[in-house]
Amino acid sequence: MNTILTNSINKLIRHELLTHGEFVALLQGNSEDLRKTLAYEADQVRRKYFGNRVYIRGLIEFTNYCKNDCLYCGIRYSNSNAERYRLTEDEILLCCEQGHALGFRTFVLQGGEDPYFTDERMTKIVAKIHHLYPDCAITLSLGERSKESYQALYEAGAERYLLRHETATKAHYDQLHPSSMSFEHRMQCLQDLKDIGYQVGCGFMVGSPFQTIEMLANDLLFIQEFRPHMVGIGPFISHTDTPFRENKNGTLEDTLLLLSILRLMQPTLLLPATTALGTIAFNGREQGILAGANVVMPNLSPVSVRKQYSLYDNKICTGEESAQCINCLAGRMNGIDYEIVVDRGDAISSNCISLCD
Ligand code: 5AD
């Protein structure tokens, strides 16, 4: 093993800050050996803060209308093959009711950027959920909005927001998105969310078109500096109705390595084993947990619309990844010596970290 790789591993294991070159060395050094070493270390540090607990989030995909035209995404505006749907307020509340009975204490409302869901409509929905389920956390994933909008949603009761940055390299951002979208605005949104007081999640696709190891190192540097509470990563998976239909998918191996790196960079990070990971590989989500992830987000959307929230081809949505199969999921997690818990699963504050240390 070369010196820079050995040094980078040692720094990562000590949770020290890494340079761009050191991240590159880790990514270039991806091998079964390296993945095993880092997964072992990631597991140790995760157990220190979380034990064997895996948090669950009930994912409600409430609209697949989207005004954006991201080149990788199956629900992009110009995909006229997408069958569009949006849930009513009552349908969303029914998902929450079922989810609560199943043991979910976090609801993630995720949707395309659908202008129908104005601040007025959205704050009303958030306030209702907050009122009906005061023991639950509400996470939103609604894309880019104004700071005023984020503020109003926060005041209505949403405490967490997921907005993947997609890539921390501006030129790459422009290759993945139409000219109507901008890297600067994306980053501004993330900063606004943090300034308001949300627990914030960013993230990126692994193996997205044009992505290089240097770009992935930029993503890690950005995360190291931004210190989000959550990071969502999953492999890029091509969708037939997008311009990237011929592009190669991201790999399980790269995603697992990155999960371990992220866990070691930020030991208390909320890190989901995503649906995309479960889609590209058998037991992908279990493998993600073993590599350092500590969150799973089963689908709580009505079964009738699940197939329509098609961000990429063959997305799993009706099997054991669905919320209704929570017992199967619990069994799978027990099988790898983890347990899912009935808990909001909040980010651990930095105060606690110094106390725990
Ligand atoms: N493959 C994998 N992930 C995708 N996303 C969108 N399209 C794809 C795809 N083809 C991810 C994006 C987005 C999140 C909701 O889903 O990163 O932020």
Side-chain angles (χ1 to χ4, degrees), residues 220-231:
L220 296 175
L221 269 188
F222 165 68
I223 288 167
Q224 180 170 270
E225 200 185 342
F226 185 64
R227 294 194 68 78
H229 304 85
M230 309 170 269
V231 174

Side-chain angles (χ1 to χ4, degrees), residues 72-73 110 164 166 186 205 235-239 276 311-312:
Y72 46 84
C73 184
Q110 183 168 89
R164 289 190 177 180
E166 311 296 357
R186 192 77 165 186
M205 292 176 287
F236 162 76
I237 304 175
S238 71
H239 188 292
L311 305 181
Y312 43 82

Side-chain angles (χ1 to χ4, degrees), residues 185-196:
H185 191 250
R186 192 77 165 186
M187 290 297 179
Q188 185 59 52
C189 285
L190 281 166
Q191 194 54 53
D192 288 346
L193 289 162
K194 212 170 187 198
D195 292 345
I196 290 168

Side-chain angles (χ1 to χ4, degrees), residues 148-195:
E148 293 68 38
S149 172
Y150 289 148
Q151 181 74 47
L153 292 162
Y154 186 76
E155 282 162 21
E159 292 167 76
R160 308 185 189 142
Y161 205 102
L162 307 175
L163 181 69
R164 289 190 177 180
H165 63 284
E166 311 296 357
T167 169
T169 308
K170 181 182 155 42
H172 188 213
Y173 190 92
D174 293 342
Q175 289 176 303
L176 300 179
H177 299 95
S179 55
S180 53
M181 294 176 73
S182 91
F183 176 71
E184 290 76 14
H185 191 250
R186 192 77 165 186
M187 290 297 179
Q188 185 59 52
C189 285
L190 281 166
Q191 194 54 53
D192 288 346
L193 289 162
K194 212 170 187 198
D195 292 345

Side-chain angles (χ1 to χ4, degrees), residues 321-337:
E321 66 292 338
S322 85
Q324 285 70 17
C325 283
I326 191 77
N327 290 333
C328 329
L329 183 67
R332 280 171 173 240
M333 292 299 143
N334 289 339
I336 55 170
D337 197 22

